[in-house]
Amino acid sequence: MSTCILCHQYFEEVDSWASLFSLVEPDPLCSTCSEKFEMIEGELCECCGRPFSGVADEYREGNLCYDCVRWDQDSRWQGVLTKNRSIYLYNDFAKDVISLYKFRGDYVISSIFKTPLKKAFKTHFNSSNLVVPIPLSDERLFERGFNQAKALAALLDVQVHEVLARTHLEKQSKKSRSERILAENVFRVTGEVQGKEILLVDDIYTTGSTLRHAGKVLLEAGAKSVSALTLMRG
């Protein structure tokens, strides 16, 4: 018997040859909790990874969603983000889980995402990517006690490079899309990125502004390209 990390109910693990020989991590979630996460599948925006299922034609242009078209119409942001891939939709259940993890400091919750994160990393990216977590400001890090993006990046079992620092600003969640886009001096580069293919890691993709602000300074510092792996897609 195992105990579900989220609902704390006991459940019977399903044995498989892979689990018996420790080829996969044991499932930390019961089937009830696991099924509440909505995996992103099917046709996606080739840039941000937004699922096109149920999206009206006027909200996409070819292989891009309208949000990405708008980003690329602005010369300041054109080509800054090569691609983002997210694992889950940011539904109501996911919001509750992220709240427990991110704002209430329940660090152990990150372990439930190890297998899907590693799978997404191997599917969409490669070992040559320099894995860089989106940083918190010193003030925000003091409030939370840990950087949730760094914890997620560590689950990939590759070297993590903290080559970005963040200026303390008002929380992104309190800003409108235009306020996020117009923000200045959000990040600065603190390490060597010349010629590197950067993979940013963060918890949630909403407007894409955080990733693009980070990507812009990395490209200006000489990075070859910037992509992202995020847990949730808003």
Side-chain angles (χ1 to χ4, degrees):
M1 295 284 285
S2 297
T3 305
C4 177
I5 283 181
L6 293 180
C7 71
H8 308 297
Q9 297 297 311
Y10 291 109
F11 69 98
E12 291 281 355
E13 286 188 46
V14 179
D15 291 330
S16 67
W17 287 110
S19 62
L20 286 172
F21 289 100
S22 300
L23 299 177
V24 296
E25 300 285 333
D27 196 338
L29 296 181
C30 67
S31 58
T32 301
C33 287
S34 183
E35 289 168 5
K36 290 179 181 178
F37 285 109
E38 294 182 73
M39 297 285 292
I40 293 176
E41 299 174 327
E43 188 183 9
L44 308 175
C45 170
E46 66 179 19
C47 181
C48 74
R50 179 182 183 177
F52 280 141
S53 176
V55 174
D57 288 343
E58 61 262 33
Y59 294 110
R60 61 181 291 186
E61 187 174 303
N63 294 326
L64 295 177
C65 70
Y66 184 58
D67 280 345
C68 288
V69 170
R70 285 196 294 169
W71 279 111
D72 273 358
Q73 286 173 343
D74 188 330
S75 59
R76 296 171 299 170
W77 305 105
Q78 192 172 45
V80 167
L81 185 66
T82 300
K83 70 175 178 180
N84 168 73
R85 290 297 177 264
S86 304
I87 300 168
Y88 303 111
L89 292 176
Y90 195 42
N91 61 15
D92 289 341
F93 178 73
K95 289 176 184 177
D96 290 341
V97 173
I98 290 297
S99 178
L100 282 171
Y101 173 52
K102 187 173 177 177
F103 301 113
R104 301 183 203 174
D106 199 344
Y107 184 91
V108 72
I109 285 177
S110 65
S111 65
I112 71 179
F113 303 122
K114 183 169 186 174
T115 297
L117 275 169
K118 289 179 72 173
K119 182 178 178 180
F121 177 65
K122 291 178 180 179
T123 300
H124 301 292
F125 306 100
N126 58 67
S127 58
S128 67
N129 288 114
L130 197 74
V131 174
V132 177
I134 291 291
L136 296 177
S137 66
D138 291 341
E139 292 86 348
R140 200 74 70 219
L141 184 61
F142 179 78
E143 287 177 10
R144 294 186 189 164
F146 74 105
N147 177 357
Q148 75 283 349
K150 182 180 176 183
L152 294 174
L155 298 175
L156 298 176
D157 291 336
V158 298
Q159 186 174 358
V160 175
H161 300 265
E162 296 182 81
V163 296
L164 282 175
R166 187 171 195 152
T167 305
H168 182 62
L169 299 169
E170 184 182 17
K171 291 180 180 180
Q172 290 289 85
S173 59
K174 294 184 177 181
K175 296 180 180 180
S176 66
R177 183 181 189 277
S178 60
E179 287 173 331
R180 294 185 188 195
I181 293 171
L182 294 172
E184 295 183 357
N185 303 317
V186 179
F187 298 101
R188 66 182 186 277
V189 178
T190 60
E192 179 56 52
V193 297
Q194 184 71 38
K196 301 294 185 181
E197 295 179 321
I198 306 293
L199 177 63
L200 296 171
V201 177
D202 204 5
D203 53 356
I204 308 166
Y205 183 112
T206 49
T207 65
S209 58
T210 296
L211 298 173
R212 284 179 172 85
H213 276 288
K216 195 170 190 293
V217 298
L218 288 163
L219 291 173
E220 289 170 351
K224 182 179 179 181
S225 65
V226 178
S227 295
L229 173 60
T230 49
L231 189 61
M232 308 286 179
R233 179 67 172 83

